[in-house]
Amino acid sequence: MDSISMDSNVLAPKVKNRYSSKRRKKLWFFFLMSLPFLIQVAIFYFYINGSSIIMSFFKYSYIKDSSGGVLGIERFWAGFSNFGDVFEVIFSAKEAGMFLVSFVMYAFILVVITPIVIFFSFYIYKRYFMSEFFRVILYMPQIISSVVWVALYKMLIDEVLKSITGAPTKVFDPANMDTLKLTVAMVGFIFWTGFGGNILLMSGAMSGIDESVVEACHLDGCNTTREFMHITLPSIYPTITTFIVLDITSIFTQTMHLFTFFGGSSPIKSVGYFMEINTLFTAGLTSVSGKQDYLFYPQLSAMGLLITIVTVPLAIGVRKMMEKLGPSED
Amino acid sequence: MKEKVIKNKASKIKEKVSPYVIIVGAILIIYAISLILPLVFGFMTSLRTKQDYLDNGVLAFPDFSYWASNKEANSIFGNAGRPVPFPFYDNVFGSYTKFFATGSVLVQQKYYCGWNMSVLVEYTSNQTFLDFVLNTVLYAGVSSVLAVMAPCIMGYLCAKFPNKFASFLYAFVIVVMVMPIVGTAGALLTLMKKIRLHDTLFGVWIRKITFTNMYFLIFYAYFKGLPDTYSEAAEIDGASFMRIMWKIYIPFAIKMITTTLMLQIVSTYNDYGINKLHLPSRITLAYAAWDFMTNNSSAEMPEKLAACLTLSLPMLIFFIAAKNKLMGNITVGGLKG
């Protein structure tokens, strides 16, 4: 008995060491292999975001020599002055309309496009007449560049429709821009090119519904309408929630393809487009000449921070609300 | 029994010809026509000569007589002292020839960079069609591979080497996806200029090696579903962790890697925005087509459409060849918790 217990004591430590040695090797491998990616995230997520937040509280100016040559750049604490500059610009008479454009676009996507997408996705999911053909066609706007669709859309609206209706001016004519017509045309473009891709995603989510549940529903005598209302919709509710939350996060980043249509001179602006052209055409941290035509990077960072502060709690709040209002697990 | 079968068949037919199916089917047919018809019409317009378009307006088919008398396409080669390779081709596809032979984008850059932002970089370059193609291959090709392999490897590591940090990374990726932080372009551009990687392919490639996206979740779920018995058997045979990863598990995921790679290639090929901010000196085909369409006031619609359709043709061919893989089973699910 003593020899057996002595053998157990001899055995046990060796088993314990071997386990921890293997686990250590696994951890070493995990960290060594993931190191390049972790460094990338550390730099391009944490450092960039931290730097952007810090930048929004500073202003920059170039250090110049006597002949005007640049020797370097210095920054100085600006407090909330960048935020003040941003408020002054975005709520000016010239730019305030961009909020209306962004909200109109979001409202259109939420109220019009999302229900239509769900309604049409059911057709693809149930594999009705020509659904395979429609799946291929609906995917086409994702395959072909938006540059091509913009060119075709401009041709259709400005050349073809104008020839047919005999309208006096073109909708996209830089010399004769009607803001209302333009907004309607842009909304039409977003519907035309965005409709198909969302249908495919939603029908993909529907295809994840357990077939046995659907069969049981039919055995109990429910028709397609009841199946849609009581099985399909509740089953894809988490996907609908994800869509709505992602749409909220893009209210202020949606550029509406305005740059593709007009370059930097669109007569209507969304918040995302405003930020895009300012980022593109700005002199940078500051300008050498002192002239400012566009917001500098610190001011854009301040604007981005304000948008994030508004968007994140809104997205979380909407998600919580939708989870509360939605169907339960039962 | 027979009656039940007949009833079931009748109800299935009734379902398939219900008002919902008829109305939605009709709308989808109209929508499909609205997508196909402009492409076909655009292609036919791109075959017309500039004179034909100006004389006969937009709603006309190509006029063959203009092809026979079109001197413009031939003059591109003739005036340059070079033999016209295919006269018929140059007439029918004159707008395309013009884009291939004379399409160019003038790039002018002036910015300060370096750690003190005191180094002035200033240059002008004229990029032509061959540059567009080369830049597109380098940008779309390499970026796509990096953008797929990063989440694939990280998804494997987190799924097959479970530990607290791996769980944290999984939650972190979800948080990054649902919580956007806006307005960081300025900080990113400043950093890239400071480390002298702005406007370089290498700088763009490094930014693609990220796993904080949907593909990480997809690969994680996939590798989590694969049994550990393969790695256990391989370990018994003396295989290292690296060998197990590259020789056993990554080959299992090759179909998924191929599908996500194709999706990434489509996305990066069509991305003309990269040239606006991050790579202004290496013009891709997408940006060149956009520039030709937007900023080329001397070109008429046939030439603009030719530039755009040149961009879309490789993708259309790619899509027709690989549509089953591209439209596979990658879906967006709901995020709970």
Side-chain angles (χ1 to χ4, degrees):
Chain A
M1 290 288 275
D2 286 337
S3 63
I4 290 169
S5 65
M6 208 169 72
D7 284 342
S8 306
N9 286 334
V10 166
L11 273 175
K14 274 188 191 168
V15 171
K16 195 177 170 187
N17 281 340
R18 216 179 13 239
Y19 176 77
S20 66
S21 163
K22 185 183 170 185
R23 186 157 170 73
R24 261 189 279 124
K25 276 185 187 169
K26 282 188 118 172
L27 283 174
W28 268 112
F29 179 76
F30 172 83
F31 282 110
L32 278 173
M33 281 301 295
S34 56
L35 192 62
F37 309 108
L38 295 176
I39 291 172
Q40 201 269 3
V41 164
I43 295 171
F44 290 99
Y45 185 79
F46 289 107
Y47 176 79
I48 293 294
N49 286 321
S51 176
S52 179
I53 293 169
I54 291 168
M55 190 189 279
S56 58
F57 294 97
F58 285 86
K59 282 194 189 288
Y60 293 77
S61 68
Y62 281 102
I63 305 166
K64 295 185 214 174
D65 60 22
S66 51
S67 58
V70 169
L71 297 172
I73 198 164
E74 62 179 353
R75 69 178 187 184
F76 49 93
W77 177 256
F80 289 97
S81 127
N82 286 325
F83 295 88
D85 296 338
V86 166
F87 277 121
E88 208 177 296
V89 169
I90 64 177
F91 291 117
S92 64
K94 189 182 163 203
E95 307 290 5
M98 62 179 164
F99 291 98
L100 183 65
V101 170
S102 293
F103 279 115
V104 160
M105 186 51 49
Y106 176 70
F108 177 74
I109 290 171
L110 182 67
V111 172
V112 176
I113 294 187
T114 304
I116 291 177
V117 161
I118 297 169
F119 195 63
F120 280 67
S121 304
F122 189 67
Y123 185 101
I124 304 293
Y125 156 63
K126 294 299 281 183
R127 296 206 168 106
Y128 289 137
F129 177 64
M130 287 174 71
S131 58
E132 278 306 309
F133 169 74
F134 290 137
R135 276 187 79 223
V136 173
I137 295 299
L138 289 171
Y139 203 69
M140 259 173 40
Q142 322 303 317
I143 294 296
I144 298 173
S145 173
S146 60
V147 173
V148 179
W149 295 115
V150 163
L152 292 172
Y153 192 72
K154 270 179 155 177
M155 182 185 70
L156 278 176
I157 300 290
D158 271 355
E159 310 285 342
V160 175
L161 267 182
K162 185 170 173 287
S163 290
I164 295 170
T165 62
T169 56
K170 297 180 180 181
V171 172
F172 297 105
D173 184 357
N176 285 300
M177 293 281 191
D178 182 331
T179 312
L180 180 62
K181 272 191 196 166
L182 203 54
T183 308
V184 170
M186 296 309 302
V187 163
F189 178 79
I190 285 167
F191 183 83
W192 187 50
T193 53
F195 178 61
N198 288 339
I199 287 183
L200 290 176
L201 285 172
M202 201 64 83
S203 63
M206 288 178 184
S207 64
I209 297 171
D210 194 350
E211 272 299 313
S212 56
V213 172
V214 177
E215 275 171 22
C217 166
H218 284 300
L219 283 171
D220 288 341
C222 73
N223 56 19
T224 315
T225 310
R226 291 194 76 173
E227 179 198 338
F228 178 71
M229 296 299 294
H230 296 288
I231 305 291
T232 312
L233 274 185
S235 301
I236 63 165
Y237 190 80
T239 304
I240 296 171
T241 305
T242 305
F243 267 69
I244 290 175
V245 169
L246 288 174
D247 283 339
I248 283 181
T249 60
S250 68
I251 290 177
F252 297 117
T253 55
Q254 169 79 265
T255 59
M256 290 171 58
H257 302 281
L258 286 167
F259 197 90
T260 318
F261 272 93
F262 303 108
S265 54
S266 172
I268 62 168
K269 288 179 187 156
S270 66
V271 176
Y273 175 75
F274 175 81
M275 289 200 71
E276 185 181 23
I277 56 167
N278 274 273
T279 308
L280 191 56
F281 297 121
T282 183
L285 289 167
T286 183
S287 80
V288 178
S289 62
K291 197 175 155 209
Q292 181 171 10
D293 295 320
Y294 295 91
L295 294 176
F296 294 134
Y297 290 159
Q299 291 154 337
L300 287 166
S301 298
M303 185 170 173
L305 190 57
L306 287 170
I307 290 172
T308 305
I309 288 168
V310 168
T311 311
V312 168
L314 188 62
I316 294 171
V318 165
R319 196 157 146 262
K320 291 251 179 273
M321 184 188 72
M322 291 207 59
E323 279 172 7
K324 221 175 180 176
L325 293 173
S328 63
E329 289 279 344
D330 307 330
Chain B
M1 186 65 188
K2 247 188 187 173
E3 274 177 19
K4 246 192 183 172
V5 168
I6 293 167
K7 256 191 185 170
N8 278 343
K9 274 190 180 167
S11 70
K12 276 191 180 159
I13 291 168
K14 201 175 165 191
E15 183 187 318
K16 286 190 185 224
V17 293
S18 66
Y20 167 79
V21 172
I22 293 169
I23 293 169
V24 172
I27 294 172
L28 284 172
I29 288 172
I30 294 169
Y31 181 68
I33 292 170
S34 79
L35 288 176
I36 297 170
L37 207 59
L39 278 170
V40 171
F41 186 72
F43 176 66
M44 286 179 53
T45 306
S46 72
L47 297 181
R48 299 170 70 189
T49 65
K50 189 171 169 177
Q51 203 55 51
D52 176 12
Y53 187 80
L54 289 170
D55 290 347
N56 297 321
V58 65
L59 287 174
F61 289 102
D63 189 331
F64 297 158
S65 62
Y66 282 84
W67 286 350
S69 60
N70 183 31
K71 297 279 188 273
E72 198 182 306
N74 290 331
S75 70
I76 293 166
F77 290 93
N79 283 349
R82 292 197 288 266
V84 177
F86 301 104
F88 177 73
Y89 170 86
D90 288 336
N91 281 316
V92 173
F93 294 99
S95 300
Y96 291 88
T97 309
K98 188 172 181 182
F99 180 59
F100 299 154
T102 65
S104 65
V105 175
L106 183 68
V107 176
Q108 287 175 307
Q109 283 291 295
K110 182 181 178 182
Y111 59 89
Y112 285 92
C113 61
W115 199 252
N116 286 330
M117 301 294 265
S118 58
V119 177
L120 178 63
V121 169
E122 194 172 5
Y123 64 83
T124 304
S125 91
N126 203 35
Q127 309 243 313
T128 60
F129 185 76
L130 284 177
D131 296 313
F132 308 153
V133 172
L134 179 67
N135 293 331
T136 302
V137 168
L138 287 173
Y139 169 60
V142 178
S143 297
S144 302
V145 170
L146 293 172
V148 167
M149 289 317 295
C152 175
I153 291 170
M154 282 305 289
Y156 168 77
L157 290 171
C158 290
K160 289 302 178 192
F161 293 82
N163 56 74
K164 284 186 184 159
F165 189 65
S167 308
F168 162 74
L169 284 178
Y170 185 86
F172 170 70
V173 170
I174 293 176
V175 165
V176 167
M177 281 174 61
V178 297
M179 259 181 37
I181 298 183
V182 183
T184 57
L188 175 62
L189 285 164
T190 305
L191 173 68
M192 298 305 275
K193 284 175 182 173
K194 278 186 172 181
I195 59 177
R196 306 289 293 267
L197 283 181
H198 172 64
D199 199 14
T200 63
L201 274 168
F202 187 65
V204 168
W205 289 338
I206 297 180
R207 287 181 34 238
K208 290 291 183 181
I209 310 174
T210 180
F211 64 96
T212 54
N213 52 47
M214 180 187 71
Y215 296 134
F216 168 82
L217 302 177
I218 291 168
F219 280 114
Y220 177 91
Y222 179 78
F223 286 120
K224 201 76 176 166
L226 290 178
D228 292 334
T229 44
Y230 299 110
S231 61
E232 284 163 12
E235 277 176 52
I236 290 168
D237 289 340
S240 64
F241 295 130
M242 185 73 88
R243 210 175 167 87
I244 292 169
M245 181 173 86
W246 286 109
K247 296 285 186 187
I248 298 175
Y249 283 101
I250 299 289
F252 267 127
I254 205 72
K255 273 190 181 169
M256 187 164 282
I257 290 172
T258 312
T259 306
T260 48
L261 184 63
M262 285 179 183
L263 289 169
Q264 269 298 121
I265 288 173
V266 169
S267 165
T268 47
Y269 177 85
N270 290 330
D271 177 17
Y272 81 102
I274 191 70
N275 285 127
K276 289 186 295 180
L277 268 182
H278 300 289
L279 201 62
S281 69
R282 285 188 165 265
I283 302 297
T284 58
L285 201 51
Y287 186 88
W290 173 80
D291 186 73
F292 204 77
M293 182 192 72
T294 314
N295 297 330
N296 196 338
S297 53
S298 65
E300 282 300 333
M301 194 52 81
E303 291 157 357
K304 293 183 182 182
L305 287 171
C308 292
L309 291 172
T310 302
L311 171 67
S312 61
L313 190 63
M315 274 301 119
L316 270 173
I317 295 170
F318 180 66
F319 176 57
I320 291 165
K323 66 176 175 1
N324 289 332
K325 276 202 172 356
L326 282 170
M327 293 166 56
N329 291 325
I330 293 179
T331 59
V332 173
L335 295 174
K336 284 188 180 173

